[in-house]
């Protein structure tokens, strides 16, 4: 009865915005989902059906069509019951079946890592949403309700899901312009990722609630009187910014809560576009504007269609306040995003390729095919979704948006892949600039190309867009693969001459190269030669497939073999415990990369170096993404490494804090209490009474490091703690 009442209240909401909803279809979907999920419960102990109903309610809040509402009710039936997509197609139509399939995880496939599974699920979702945007809207509704009930998950699950939400789903909501969903997802994720900081900000915001409400009323009164005197009809509102935006400002500016001045945002809604600019002039005449804080998103809208004027001023009592000015129609788009103007109402759920608001979506869809490595794919998606924009012009006057910090190389690849490949220089506003120049708002960019120019590996250090990074990396990897194939051919030729008195060319004529590649399970001769060149396959292993006995006899005569990796592995294997397992061999001598200093508990990857053994990096290491993927191998920590007190690993931790007496001692004491030893420390004070303290500490494992960092974050006067 309770769920029936909930369904009825949602249907009432749907009738409030939909001209003629198919209520029978909604009730049929509810009955079917209820039957399929019968006996299932959520981690909270509630009947499972409460979740699909709440997802349906959020979808109704987005004012979507009946097919989307039905998909919300049925979205877990394929994944969690015996229902198939074909069943849904037969009962509820192609539209609903496609939407449910688009949000269903690839749970029936096996993946090597959780990261790979995450990448493939997001890849599938992006492909589906490029065909029908309702896929992502249903998925956002599902994720929002899951975040609202995340307290029932394990601590590890809370952190993992919140990080994915912050990395992928909140930026997607932002890209689609649905600000209320974005804001709630950010604050919910913030609560679980940085609980202490979240509750501290919540408490401080609440403690000044009465004072803040009085200030908001006063500012609203002043603005209303001013606008009325100038014959402008307007609606003025004020609110504190969401917790995550306050925390992000504190971290970026390294300040404490009390120093965040523009914590309040006011909004002025006017009937006509021209009145936005009239209102702006009146505000600037009333209060002094803060230089560099004005943005005109009406003349140059954001890529998601958002339009508004933003300005920050010194308001009453010398308080900094932010004011946004826009029309009521602009506000509708700002709050509801794509759902405000889009086009299931016209029977169209696919955005036009020429619609600039969705150019980013088509780019994501087209470029997913370039990523074989799940790490590369996730990195590209995060870069393209989660950034502040800078707006620049082509020589013809077209506006293009890029991530803050983007360069002319990013611009070149955005114009066309071939322009990026042959980019040799750039002019900004008519003047030559370095390729690492960071684009600024309003720049006019012109790319200079040369036929013989090719992508440079150094470009990866400063490009910002996922497209540029992917294209450069693939080009560099192709060149490296070509070189490795030639090197592999030389190594095999040398070994053949020594062991079997023949050469690669003779093998080629006799068909032995192809035969050896097949026997070694390679897809082609080129792949086999490249693997030899990379050092992942030994030439003698290939030769033994064709001449097993002769190769062994000659190998005995040539104990001083110069096989490039043969001796290396002889040296590496069985040389004492390192804590790293490679294909079941635990006694491998390795070097830990100093660029990321991996510790037991980190996700790690091995890189076969040329002549220096195996280098172990964290999977998050920025450097590993630039290294040849073919030379990367799977490694993991041995079980004893995670609890071996004797095998402590060095890690660098940087603490940004106020320059106050006793604070350094509190930080040091926190390390000691966590069982972490400080081996080196460097403390620098700045002119604005702040301190940057860099510690080299020795830790047993990742959990110990995290505990120490969380303890330090709670110390009053500490702005930010990071692993470097």
């Amino acid at each position: 009865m309770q769920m029936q009442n909930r369904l009825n209240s949602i249907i009432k909401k749907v009738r409030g915005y939909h001209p003629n909803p198919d209520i029978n279809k909604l009730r049929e979907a509810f009955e079917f989902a209820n039957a399929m999920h019968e006996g299932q419960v959520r981690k909270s102990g509630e009947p499972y059906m409460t979740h699909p109903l709440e997802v349906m309610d959020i979808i109704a809040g987005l004012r979507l069509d009946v097919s989307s509402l039905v998909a919300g009710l049925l979205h877990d039936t394929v994944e969690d019951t015996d229902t198939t997509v074909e069943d849904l197609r037969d009962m509820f139509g192609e539209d609903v079946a496609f939407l449910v399939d688009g949000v269903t995880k690839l749970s029936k496939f096996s993946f090597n890592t959780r990261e790979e599974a995450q990448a493939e699920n997001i890849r599938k979702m992006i492909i589906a949403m490029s065909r029908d945007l309702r896929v992502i809207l249903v998925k956002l509704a599902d994720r929002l309700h899951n975040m609202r009930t995340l307290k029932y998950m394990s601590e590890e699950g809370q952190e993992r899901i919140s990080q994915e939400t912050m990395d992928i789903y909140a930026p997607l909501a932002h890209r689609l312009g649905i600000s209320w969903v974005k804001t709630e997802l950010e604050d919910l994720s913030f609560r679980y990722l940085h609980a202490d900081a979240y509750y501290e900000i919540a408490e401080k915001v609440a403690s000044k609630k009465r004072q803040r409400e009085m200030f908001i009323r006063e500012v609203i009164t002043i603005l209303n009187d001013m606008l009325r005197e100038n014959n402008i009809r307007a609606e003025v509102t004020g609110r504190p910014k969401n917790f995550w935006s306050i925390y992000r400002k504190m971290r970026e500016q390294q300040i404490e809560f009390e120093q965040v001045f523009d914590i309040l945002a006011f909004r002025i809604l006017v009937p006509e576009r021209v009145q936005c600019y009239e209102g702006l002039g009146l505000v600037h005449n009333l209060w002094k504007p803060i230089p560099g804080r004005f943005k005109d998103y009406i003349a140059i809208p954001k890529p998601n269609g958002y339009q508004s004027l933003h300005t920050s001023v010194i308001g009453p009592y010398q308080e900094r306040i932010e004011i946004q000015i826009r029309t009521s129609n602009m506000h509708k788009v700002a709050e509801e995003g794509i759902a405000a103007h889009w086009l299931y109402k016209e029977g169209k759920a696919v955005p036009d390729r020429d619609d600039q608001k969705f150019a980013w979506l088509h780019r994501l869809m087209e470029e997913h095919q370039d990523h074989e490595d799940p790490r590369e794919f996730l990195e590209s998606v995060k870069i393209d979704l989660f950034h502040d924009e800078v707006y620049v012009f082509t020589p013809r006057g077209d506006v293009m948006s890029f991530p803050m910090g983007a360069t002319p190389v990013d611009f070149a690849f955005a114009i066309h892949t071939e322009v990026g490949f042959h980019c040799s220089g750039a002019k900004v506003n008519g003047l030559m600039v370095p390729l690492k120049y960071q684009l600024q708002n309003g720049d006019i960019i012109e790319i200079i190309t040369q036929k013989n120019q090719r992508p440079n590996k150094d470009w990866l250090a400063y490009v910002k867009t996922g497209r540029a990074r992917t294209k450069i990396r693939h080009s560099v990897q192709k060149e490296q693969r070509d070189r490795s194939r030639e090197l592999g051919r030389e190594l095999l030729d040398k070994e053949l001459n020594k062991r079997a008195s023949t050469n690669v060319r003779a093998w080629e004529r006799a068909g032995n190269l192809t035969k050896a590649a097949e026997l070694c399970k390679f897809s082609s001769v080129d792949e086999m030669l490249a693997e030899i060149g990379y050092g992942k396959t030994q030439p003698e292993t290939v030769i033994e497939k064709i001449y097993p006995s002769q190769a062994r006899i000659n190998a005995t005569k040539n104990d001083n073999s110069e096989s490039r990796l043969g001796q290396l592995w002889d040296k590496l294997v069985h040389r004492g415990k390192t804590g790293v397992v490679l294909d079941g061999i635990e006694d491998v001598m390795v070097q830990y990369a100093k660029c990321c200093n991996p510790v037991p508990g980190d996700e790690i990857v091995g890189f076969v170096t040329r002549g220096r053994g195996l280098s172990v990096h964290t999977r998050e290491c920025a450097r590993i993404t630039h290294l040849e993927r073919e030379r990367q191998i799977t490694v993991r920590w041995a079980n004893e490494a995670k609890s071996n007190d004797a095998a402590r690993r060095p890690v660098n931790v940087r603490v940004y804090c106020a320059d106050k007496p006793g604070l350094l001692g509190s930080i040091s004491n926190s390390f000691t209490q966590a069982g972490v030893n400080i081996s080196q420390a460097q403390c620098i004070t700045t002119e604005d009474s702040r301190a940057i303290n860099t510690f080299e500490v020795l830790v047993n494992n990742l959990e110990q490091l995290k505990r120490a960092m969380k303890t330090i974050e709670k110390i009053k006067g500490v702005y930010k703690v990071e692993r470097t």
Side-chain angles (χ1 to χ4, degrees):
M1 181 60 71
Q2 185 177 357
M3 282 191 281
Q4 280 287 354
N5 291 338
R6 185 75 180 104
L7 176 66
N8 291 335
S9 69
I10 298 170
I11 288 175
K12 184 178 179 181
K13 182 190 287 191
V14 173
R15 282 194 167 118
Y17 71 84
H18 199 295
N20 187 27
D22 188 343
I23 303 302
N24 288 334
K25 189 173 184 179
L26 293 177
R27 293 193 183 281
E28 287 172 14
F30 169 77
E31 295 298 337
F32 179 80
N34 199 27
M36 290 298 98
H37 290 298
E38 186 177 7
Q40 295 180 353
V41 294
R42 303 203 83 208
K43 289 188 180 295
S44 63
E46 296 175 303
Y48 195 88
M49 196 58 203
T50 58
H51 171 62
L53 275 171
E54 293 307 315
V55 171
M56 179 190 183
D57 183 53
I58 294 169
I59 292 170
L62 293 170
R63 304 167 67 86
L64 299 189
D65 62 345
V66 169
S67 291
S68 302
L69 294 162
V70 171
L73 283 169
L74 302 173
H75 75 276
D76 277 335
T77 54
V78 172
E79 188 174 336
D80 294 338
T81 76
D82 293 333
T83 307
T84 65
V85 174
E86 288 69 30
D87 294 334
L88 298 183
R89 187 176 291 110
D90 292 342
M91 288 183 282
F92 300 101
E94 177 62 39
D95 229 17
V96 171
F98 179 81
L99 295 178
V100 173
D101 187 44
V103 299
T104 299
K105 293 178 184 175
L106 305 173
S107 54
K108 296 179 181 177
F109 295 86
S110 59
F111 300 100
N112 295 325
T113 64
R114 175 176 283 165
E115 185 180 45
E116 186 179 336
Q118 179 195 32
E120 291 308 318
N121 283 319
I122 292 170
R123 191 197 304 264
K124 176 190 175 187
M125 182 181 69
I126 287 172
I127 296 170
M129 71 187 259
S130 68
R131 291 176 54 191
D132 192 327
L133 277 165
R134 291 173 296 178
V135 169
I136 189 55
L137 298 177
V138 174
K139 183 61 183 178
L140 284 173
D142 175 40
R143 177 53 61 109
L144 181 54
H145 185 250
N146 280 332
M147 289 301 298
R148 288 173 177 174
T149 56
L150 199 60
K151 64 181 179 180
Y152 299 105
M153 293 286 290
S154 66
E155 188 174 338
E156 185 274 335
Q158 290 173 348
E159 189 169 331
R160 173 175 50 80
I161 293 169
S162 296
Q163 192 61 60
E164 182 183 66
T165 300
M166 194 70 91
D167 287 344
I168 303 294
Y169 293 101
L172 269 172
H174 170 65
R175 278 292 194 167
L176 293 168
I178 314 171
S179 62
W180 69 271
V181 172
K182 165 193 173 276
T183 299
E184 188 173 352
L185 287 175
E186 285 178 341
D187 276 355
L188 288 168
S189 301
F190 176 33
R191 182 193 298 177
Y192 293 105
L193 292 173
H194 306 281
D196 294 318
Y198 173 88
Y199 287 109
E200 182 181 355
I201 290 174
E203 183 181 337
K204 288 181 176 179
V205 169
S207 68
K208 295 188 176 182
K209 184 177 180 182
R210 184 186 297 272
Q211 178 185 346
R212 187 177 63 252
E213 288 176 346
M214 289 175 59
F215 181 79
I216 288 173
R217 283 197 298 270
E218 182 175 348
V219 171
I220 289 174
T221 300
I222 293 171
L223 289 172
N224 271 326
D225 290 345
M226 177 193 69
L227 293 164
R228 195 180 304 112
E229 288 170 8
N230 289 274
N231 299 316
I232 296 177
R233 286 188 301 109
E235 177 188 341
V236 183
T237 57
R239 58 174 177 78
K241 293 183 177 179
N242 69 306
F243 294 168
W244 171 247
S245 68
I246 294 172
Y247 177 70
R248 192 169 64 175
K249 180 165 289 190
M250 289 168 61
R251 291 189 63 176
E252 288 173 355
Q253 299 181 8
Q254 296 175 29
I255 56 178
E256 296 187 54
F257 178 84
E258 290 74 18
Q259 296 170 287
V260 181
F261 294 111
D262 50 348
I263 197 171
L264 297 176
F266 292 84
R267 185 175 297 132
I268 300 173
L269 301 184
V270 294
E272 302 295 335
R273 172 174 171 149
V274 68
Q275 292 171 327
C276 294
Y277 293 97
E278 291 177 16
L280 176 71
L282 292 170
V283 169
H284 282 182
N285 187 54
L286 178 65
W287 293 313
K288 183 180 290 186
I290 299 171
R293 297 287 295 168
F294 168 66
K295 294 178 181 176
D296 187 345
Y297 293 119
I298 294 179
I300 304 178
K302 288 188 176 184
N304 59 16
Y306 176 89
Q307 289 184 288
S308 185
L309 299 178
H310 288 197
T311 187
S312 291
V313 298
I314 307 295
Y317 313 109
Q318 298 301 299
E319 288 282 348
R320 294 189 183 201
I321 55 176
E322 180 182 297
I323 298 177
Q324 301 170 359
I325 309 172
R326 53 187 180 241
T327 67
S328 299
N329 285 337
M330 291 175 188
H331 180 61
K332 185 177 176 65
V333 172
E335 288 299 300
E336 300 177 21
I338 184 178
H341 55 77
W342 169 70
L343 305 263
Y344 63 82
K345 299 168 188 172
E346 303 170 5
K348 182 180 179 183
V350 183
D352 194 303
R353 295 190 66 84
D354 296 327
D355 192 334
Q356 287 300 308
K357 293 188 293 294
F358 305 110
W360 61 273
L361 176 57
H362 290 298
R363 279 201 307 270
L364 274 184
M365 188 272 292
E366 289 164 359
E367 290 172 18
H368 84 276
Q369 302 172 66
D370 296 333
H371 297 281
E372 296 177 9
D373 188 324
R375 292 200 311 277
E376 287 185 18
F377 172 74
L378 281 177
E379 177 194 9
S380 177
V381 169
K382 291 174 186 178
I383 287 172
D384 283 342
L385 287 180
F386 202 7
H387 58 70
D388 294 324
E389 290 96 0
V390 59
Y391 298 88
V392 299
F393 295 91
T394 68
R396 295 191 307 176
D398 297 327
V399 179
M400 299 182 71
S401 68
F402 290 91
M404 198 70 73
T407 66
V409 177
D410 294 291
F411 181 91
F413 277 101
I415 296 296
H416 195 280
T417 300
E418 288 303 311
V419 175
F421 277 172
H422 301 296
C423 171
S424 61
K427 287 184 179 180
V428 172
N429 304 324
L431 300 175
M432 291 295 297
V433 296
L435 289 179
K436 63 173 65 175
Y437 167 84
Q438 294 190 356
L439 305 181
Q440 305 296 314
N441 279 315
D443 282 345
I444 301 173
I445 317 297
E446 181 183 348
I447 299 299
I448 300 166
T449 60
Q450 287 185 0
K451 186 177 180 180
N452 296 327
Q453 177 69 40
R454 300 300 299 167
N456 190 320
K457 187 176 180 180
D458 293 340
W459 291 358
L460 290 168
Y462 50 79
V463 294
K464 292 295 181 183
T465 58
R467 177 181 179 84
R469 188 174 296 278
T470 299
K471 298 295 184 184
I472 295 165
R473 186 179 290 144
H474 283 192
S475 175
V476 170
Q477 287 175 348
K478 182 180 182 302
E479 287 185 14
Q480 290 172 335
R481 189 170 182 81
D482 290 343
R483 287 199 302 268
S484 291
R485 188 170 61 248
E486 291 305 311
L487 177 60
R489 190 180 182 90
E490 290 176 17
L491 290 169
L492 182 60
D493 192 71
K494 184 177 181 180
E495 206 65 26
L496 275 170
N497 185 268
K498 181 163 51 183
R499 290 173 178 265
S501 301
T502 185
N503 56 45
V504 169
R505 189 172 296 178
W507 256 35
E508 216 163 16
R509 288 196 299 268
N512 285 338
L513 266 185
T514 303
K515 185 178 178 183
E518 292 171 354
L519 291 171
C520 291
K521 310 293 186 193
F522 290 111
S523 60
S524 67
V525 170
D526 281 351
E527 184 189 0
M528 179 180 72
L529 294 176
E531 292 290 287
I532 295 172
Y534 283 126
K536 295 171 77 171
T537 296
Q538 299 178 36
E540 52 266 37
T541 302
V542 174
I543 296 170
E544 286 180 6
K545 295 295 182 183
I546 305 298
Y547 307 134
S549 57
Q550 183 63 37
R552 276 195 293 271
I553 293 169
N554 287 356
T556 305
K557 297 177 182 177
N558 291 282
D559 283 338
N560 295 324
S561 168
E562 294 172 14
S563 172
R564 195 165 52 87
L565 223 68
Q567 275 195 344
L568 173 61
W569 289 117
D570 288 344
K571 291 178 181 178
L572 290 179
V573 180
H574 304 302
R575 284 293 186 87
K577 299 289 182 183
T578 66
V580 172
V581 178
L582 169 65
D583 293 332
I585 304 171
E586 301 197 14
D587 294 342
V588 179
M589 186 179 292
V590 299
Q591 57 176 332
Y592 295 97
K594 292 182 179 179
C595 48
C596 55
N597 283 331
V599 299
D602 280 325
E603 292 288 326
I604 54 175
V605 61
F607 181 75
V608 181
T609 67
R610 288 188 169 95
R612 298 191 315 277
L614 185 72
S615 178
V616 177
H617 297 254
T618 67
R619 283 197 177 274
E620 300 300 318
C621 178
R623 180 169 168 74
I624 197 69
T625 60
H626 303 329
L627 299 176
E628 301 157 71
R629 190 158 51 86
E630 288 83 352
R631 297 175 69 83
Q632 296 177 27
I633 58 174
T634 301
V635 293
R636 62 180 174 81
W637 295 104
N639 290 331
E640 64 270 17
K642 298 177 183 178
S643 57
N644 186 0
D645 288 353
R648 292 189 167 192
R649 297 283 311 132
V651 178
N652 288 328
V653 176
R654 185 165 294 146
V655 181
Y656 300 87
C657 63
D659 182 17
K660 294 196 293 191
L663 199 52
L664 183 58
S666 299
I667 295 169
S668 176
N669 189 48
S670 295
F671 278 125
T672 302
Q673 289 179 350
V676 174
N677 185 50
I678 300 174
S679 55
Q680 289 184 41
Q682 181 184 38
C683 304
I684 301 172
T685 57
T686 61
E687 293 179 0
D688 54 352
S689 299
R690 298 179 188 173
I692 303 172
N693 307 303
T694 305
F695 301 92
E696 183 183 87
V697 296
L698 300 175
V699 299
N700 298 332
N701 52 53
L702 184 61
E703 283 305 310
Q704 186 186 37
L705 176 63
K706 284 183 175 179
R707 283 197 306 272
M709 292 174 67
K710 283 186 177 180
T711 303
I712 294 169
E713 279 182 340
K714 297 177 185 177
I715 299 173
K716 185 171 178 57
V718 171
Y719 307 131
K720 182 180 176 183
V721 183
E722 63 181 8
R723 178 178 172 184
T724 63

